[in-house]
Amino acid sequence: MPLIRNTYGKGRVRIMRVKRDEARHEVRELSVQAMLSGAFGPSYTQGDNRSVIATDTVKNIVNIVARDNVGLENEAYASALARTFLDRYEHVEKVDITAYETRWARIPINGAPHDHSFVLDGNGKPFVKLSATREGSTVTSGISGFTFLKTTESGWEDYWFDENTTLKPTNDRLFATAMEASWLWASAPASYEAANAKVIEAALNVFATTYSPGVQNTLYLMGEAVLAAVPEISEISMACPNKHYLPIDLSPFGRGFDKQVFTPTDEPHGQIECTVGRD
């Protein structure tokens, strides 16, 4: 029976490119699928793999081309990736690249877009919870899955270290989280919508402009800022999973790590939570 068509490759290769050769960083996060077509028929019909480029190799090339082209727009990056396969492997006849972008928008600080702090575009789901009896009621507002990151001004050092610890300290890491937050109202503000916007603005201002020695300290400082900005709130609770962006080791390919190319992953993640209230 004839083999009508065939193609193969690597899917969901998640890559974060950070262009940081100037003070104003650029971020582009993609999920890439690279599919190859060509003289691979014998691997299907005869189990002969001699012409097959391993899918792990495909993944490595996705990462290498990302490292070598951190500043390219997504379309140009996809073109460079396809051209790499076609130039390197004569038996590859066609390359299909599909890349979905996770879009990030700059956090505005005092009306100006920040250089290295971002929020996820189309971000978060606001919510309200109300509990009422005939005697009274409580109102809690909040936001779910509110995602933001900074490409620098974050570290993790001087933590407990013993025989089970493998994580290396750093004073310059990418910090990203998808926050679950809720705040309890002690009294009604003039406008809930305007007050809720102040909550987000105060929290992001701290996040973007303050060096973070750890998620714990940043959460506390954000909580303090929210309570100072919105006096009608009695307490705020925040839970921040640490969305990891892992450095990609390209040293086997003669490329050092310069904080420009990462693999996004959120499993497993650190989970940091706190509640900040008034005296």
Side-chain angles (χ1 to χ4, degrees):
M1 294 183 181
L3 177 67
I4 303 300
R5 285 177 295 275
N6 72 86
T7 187
Y8 83 100
K10 201 75 163 181
R12 297 197 67 184
V13 184
R14 298 179 64 190
I15 189 83
M16 168 67 92
R17 293 182 292 148
V18 181
K19 184 175 182 292
R20 50 179 295 159
D21 53 351
E22 299 177 356
R24 188 177 180 87
H25 295 182
E26 303 285 346
V27 298
R28 291 187 174 92
E29 180 175 344
L30 295 174
S31 179
V32 179
Q33 177 174 283
M35 301 294 289
L36 310 180
S37 302
F40 304 115
S43 68
Y44 290 86
T45 59
Q46 302 170 35
D48 181 350
N49 296 327
R50 286 177 294 176
S51 67
V52 176
I53 304 156
T55 63
D56 187 69
T57 302
V58 174
K59 178 260 296 179
N60 288 340
I61 291 173
V62 171
N63 291 336
I64 290 168
V65 175
R67 164 61 181 81
D68 291 348
N69 298 277
V70 293
L72 285 186
E73 295 180 336
N74 295 332
E75 292 79 2
Y77 164 71
S79 178
L81 180 57
R83 179 52 54 190
T84 298
F85 285 111
L86 293 170
D87 288 348
R88 186 174 182 84
Y89 304 105
E90 291 185 357
H91 61 295
V92 173
E93 298 168 2
K94 182 186 178 189
V95 181
D96 291 294
I97 305 295
T98 305
Y100 291 96
E101 183 178 10
T102 298
R103 293 182 61 84
W104 296 91
R106 295 185 185 277
I107 295 174
I109 301 295
N110 298 323
H114 198 265
D115 283 345
H116 60 252
S117 299
F118 304 81
V119 293
L120 192 67
D121 216 2
N123 199 4
K125 294 182 178 180
F127 66 84
V128 59
K129 294 181 180 180
L130 184 142
S131 297
T133 67
R134 289 182 178 84
E135 287 70 40
S137 63
T138 61
V139 181
T140 300
S141 300
I143 194 162
S144 177
F146 188 68
T147 304
F148 45 94
L149 72 81
K150 59 200 298 184
T151 54
T152 188
E153 292 296 310
S154 172
W156 182 243
E157 300 178 283
D158 299 327
Y159 47 89
W160 187 280
F161 203 101
D162 61 23
E163 68 276 9
N164 299 307
T165 307
T166 58
L167 184 68
K168 300 295 189 296
T170 179
N171 61 7
D172 187 8
R173 65 174 181 171
L174 197 153
F175 175 176
T177 188
M179 182 175 70
E180 305 288 322
S182 61
W183 42 97
L184 179 64
W185 298 99
S187 60
S191 164
Y192 280 107
E193 184 176 356
N196 287 336
K198 281 186 179 180
V199 170
I200 301 302
E201 180 183 12
L204 290 181
N205 192 296
V206 169
F207 174 78
T209 63
T210 306
Y211 176 79
S212 173
V215 179
Q216 290 87 337
N217 181 248
T218 298
L219 278 189
Y220 178 75
L221 294 178
M222 288 166 62
E224 277 194 324
V226 167
L227 295 178
V230 187
E232 297 88 353
I233 292 174
S234 62
E235 67 177 40
I236 179 169
S237 298
M238 293 164 287
C240 282
N242 203 342
K243 294 172 68 69
H244 297 293
Y245 285 77
L246 304 178
I248 297 176
D249 181 12
L250 295 176
S251 59
F253 313 105
R255 292 161 175 84
F257 176 63
D258 46 12
K259 303 183 179 69
Q260 289 185 307
V261 183
F262 304 81
T263 296
T265 180
D266 50 16
E267 296 179 355
H269 62 246
Q271 181 75 15
I272 297 91
E273 303 181 6
C274 76
T275 298
V276 183
R278 301 186 186 280
D279 293 335

